[in-house]
Amino acid sequence: METRAQFITLDGIDGSGKTTQLNVIREWFAARKMPVVFTREPGGTPLGEKLRELLLDPQTRVSLRTETLLMFAARRQHLEDVVLPALAQGIHVVSDRFTDATFAYQGGGRGLPTAEVEVLEDWVQGSLRPDLTILLDVPLEVSVARIEGSRDKDRFEREDSAFFARVRAAYLQRAAQSPQRYAVINSHRDKAEVKQDIEAVLNRLFRFAETEKQPAHE
Ligand code: TYD
């Protein structure tokens, strides 16, 4: 049976290992020859990438509400140009970050009330929500140590550890409120274990038997 095109998002605090796990997801789709588009936020369109540059530039001075509106402006363009057309054609979409990041960073991290983010979420997205959000989680110290190790820190990476503690708490709280939509994966483990968990989550989403690829004697 054909499955409806799925909208999958990958999120987590900076330093949670998104890049590595995106490759796992890429390989999973490639192995099954399933049609899929990989994209990211903020970004994913020429306008969105310009907004991303401004939003990540440490020189940018921007108020919290403006920052939030710019995230949602980039998102609207991304939805119209990339996400919605793909889903309408039966192509799955995997987005490196989506609105959970706004709830976590602008909401949790910077203190914008959740209800205000929800107003924009409804206005920009209508009823569209991800079918699955994979939330990569690492202990705060791991995130902070990874950020410290990066050379060119962007505007968000320059925030202090208290900021990332709030961002992480907001992500985990959202996930706990809608467990059916989120898969929280501890990514501070052996790479192979994390990979297995990600694959299991995708298998479940697409209702592939998880035992499909296991040796018969197991
Ligand atoms: P990120 O996705 O981590 O890219 P890279 O892996 O190249 O560093 O960077 C995007 C940053 O933007 C990240 O710090 C989170 C932030 N962000 C928000 O604050 N709100 C949002 O709505 C989104 C999508 C991202």
Side-chain angles (χ1 to χ4, degrees):
M1 195 185 72
E2 276 292 299
T3 342
R4 178 178 60 83
Q6 299 290 297
F7 180 30
I8 300 167
T9 65
L10 182 67
D11 240 301
I13 47 176
D14 286 79
S16 59
K18 277 190 300 111
T19 309
T20 310
Q21 300 318 321
L22 265 177
N23 285 329
V24 169
I25 300 174
R26 256 182 234 283
E27 284 168 17
W28 189 93
F29 276 96
R32 286 159 185 78
K33 299 192 168 50
M34 285 163 68
V36 61
V37 168
F38 282 83
T39 184
R40 70 169 177 183
E41 288 204 353
T45 66
L47 175 73
E49 292 295 328
K50 283 190 181 169
L51 292 174
R52 178 189 178 90
E53 243 177 70
L54 286 172
L55 284 160
L56 298 193
D57 184 350
Q59 303 300 323
T60 299
R61 292 286 166 270
V62 61
S63 76
L64 173 54
R65 282 191 168 73
T66 307
E67 177 177 285
T68 307
L69 286 168
L70 291 175
M71 291 292 179
F72 272 109
R75 182 161 299 136
R76 180 64 205 179
Q77 198 68 36
H78 186 218
L79 288 176
E80 287 189 39
D81 291 357
V82 179
V83 179
L84 295 173
L87 294 176
Q89 290 172 60
I91 300 169
H92 306 296
V93 175
V94 177
S95 185
D96 177 354
R97 296 197 187 281
F98 193 60
T99 309
D100 289 296
T102 316
F103 281 103
Y105 282 78
Q106 283 66 50
R110 302 225 198 273
L112 191 70
T114 302
E116 297 190 25
V117 182
E118 282 170 346
V119 169
L120 293 170
E121 180 185 39
D122 289 343
W123 195 79
V124 167
Q125 296 169 218
S127 61
L128 181 78
R129 300 291 181 274
D131 295 293
L132 167 71
T133 296
I134 299 176
L135 178 60
L136 297 178
D137 185 49
V138 290
L140 182 64
E141 316 77 69
V142 173
S143 159
V144 169
R146 284 186 189 165
I147 295 168
E148 282 306 313
S150 68
R151 268 176 293 129
D152 288 324
K153 292 199 195 68
D154 65 36
R155 206 165 54 82
F156 292 98
E157 290 166 336
R158 289 171 189 228
E159 294 294 338
D160 61 13
S161 63
F163 174 85
F164 288 104
R166 293 193 299 274
V167 172
R168 178 173 182 239
Y171 270 130
L172 292 174
Q173 194 192 356
R174 274 182 74 68
Q177 282 166 355
S178 316
Q180 68 293 351
R181 164 146 88 83
Y182 293 87
V184 182
I185 294 183
N186 169 4
S187 63
H188 183 48
R189 285 178 302 158
D190 195 78
K191 261 193 195 151
E193 284 178 43
V194 181
K195 180 170 190 257
Q196 239 178 21
D197 281 3
I198 300 251
E199 289 172 344
V201 165
L202 293 173
N203 285 340
R204 209 178 313 136
L205 179 69
F206 290 96
R207 297 200 192 87
F208 283 112
E210 282 184 32
T211 50
E212 201 176 47
K213 286 169 64 192
Q214 304 281 328
H217 60 268
E218 274 193 3

